[in-house]
Amino acid sequence: MLNGYLKLGDGPHKVLALNGWFGHSGDWGSVGQALDLDAFTYVFFDYRGYGRSRSIDGDYTFEETALDVLRLADHLGWDRFSLIGHSMGGAAMQRVLLAAPMRIDRMVAITAVPASSSRLDPERMALFEDAVTDVHKRAFIIDFSTGRRLPKPWVAHMAQQSWAESIPEAFAGYLKEWATNDFSRLVRGNTTPLKVIVGEFDPTLTVEVMQSTWQSWYPNAVLETISNSGHYPMNEAPLALAASVQTFLRQS
């Protein structure tokens, strides 16, 4: 069974996007309105247990996700394509890269978890584990990750949407993947062109963290900070994000 997805555009440059822990294929903010759909074809992918793939069960690992992504790419007739990964999607897209390195053109890591995992301390890990079954904890995490500066109704909406668009088993399974699995040794020295995007107000995935992880492991990596944004630039600064991503992708 193929994973569910949302397709936009019919351009020659193929791009597959992997969302974060709280996201799904239909929730990339307003960024879709700023995409060049003549130059690019974008596919927004749903992990097993999420969005259009909520009914597909599995092991909920990123190795499994990589195989699902490649199966979908084959179905679409894509020999080569670029990858976008937001938050936990950054870890997931690197598993796709490792599974099929010759098929990946470029990668964009948007406030993305590095291959070393998020390295949560026990207190924060407990908070994230509680969020599996507590929508209010989800709202707390979203509020914190955006610098506690955004309207509360939006924060509540994001939390409720994640609650509706993922099943607890998948939400818990992927947490273990991005929070605890360190596979950085497998990506060190990888020459795939990479753009790392940091949100100005993201309190955790900062410039310093990205420089010591992504930029230290990928020799062809560049880094950009999106102003007036925390962990969700697709919602907080969609036009700036779309411009940044597409400028980089056009360089191929």
Side-chain angles (χ1 to χ4, degrees):
M1 181 182 295
L2 284 175
N3 288 63
Y5 63 94
L6 172 66
K7 176 177 172 288
L8 298 178
D10 291 292
H13 191 143
K14 316 301 185 186
V15 185
L16 189 138
L18 292 154
N19 55 261
W21 197 40
F22 291 104
H24 64 95
S25 64
D27 178 41
W28 282 76
S30 300
V31 73
Q33 300 171 14
L35 298 178
D36 184 344
L37 302 183
D38 293 320
F40 299 95
T41 299
Y42 289 94
V43 162
F44 298 89
F45 175 88
D46 270 317
Y47 308 92
R48 297 183 185 216
Y50 273 61
R52 293 170 170 83
S53 303
R54 287 181 80 250
S55 63
I56 305 177
D57 61 10
D59 297 327
Y60 310 120
T61 68
F62 290 151
E63 290 91 340
E64 180 181 71
T65 295
L67 295 177
D68 288 340
V69 165
L70 294 172
R71 187 181 302 112
L72 177 57
D74 291 342
H75 170 76
L76 295 168
W78 293 6
D79 293 326
R80 294 184 61 84
F81 53 98
S82 294
L83 290 166
I84 296 173
H86 171 242
S87 193
M88 82 168 185
M93 81 172 179
Q94 292 176 91
R95 288 294 189 180
V96 180
L97 173 68
L98 291 171
M102 301 307 295
R103 298 184 66 174
I104 307 307
D105 286 324
R106 304 174 85 78
M107 299 196 305
V108 180
I110 302 172
T111 60
V113 175
S116 56
S117 81
S118 63
R119 298 173 177 170
L120 297 178
D121 59 43
E123 182 178 0
R124 290 186 66 210
M125 187 64 183
L127 169 64
F128 280 71
E129 289 174 338
D130 287 345
V132 172
T133 56
D134 187 337
V135 70
H136 300 293
K137 294 290 178 64
R138 297 190 190 199
F140 179 89
I141 293 167
I142 293 167
D143 191 35
F144 176 80
S145 69
T146 51
R148 293 177 174 153
R149 45 180 262 288
L150 299 181
K152 299 306 180 188
W154 177 83
V155 172
H157 165 76
M158 291 288 285
Q160 290 289 345
Q161 184 169 250
S162 78
W163 188 266
E165 294 292 342
S166 63
I167 64 172
E169 295 84 358
F171 204 69
Y174 296 126
L175 171 61
K176 294 177 183 176
E177 287 290 286
W178 64 261
T180 64
N181 285 351
D182 183 345
F183 59 97
S184 57
R185 62 182 177 80
L186 301 178
V187 303
R188 293 176 189 270
N190 192 291
T191 58
T192 302
L194 167 70
K195 185 165 197 175
V196 181
I197 295 175
V198 177
E200 176 187 6
F201 295 108
D202 192 323
T204 304
L205 293 167
T206 61
V207 168
E208 293 74 20
V209 168
M210 300 309 207
Q211 288 173 334
S212 66
T213 55
W214 290 93
Q215 275 201 299
S216 125
W217 303 328
Y218 289 89
N220 292 327
V222 296
L223 186 147
E224 180 179 349
T225 298
I226 298 289
S227 300
N228 197 31
S229 178
H231 193 63
Y232 294 88
M234 64 282 295
N235 299 100
E236 301 172 73
L239 298 181
L241 178 65
S244 175
V245 168
Q246 294 183 131
T247 296
F248 176 74
L249 293 177
R250 284 193 176 97
Q251 295 171 17
S252 60

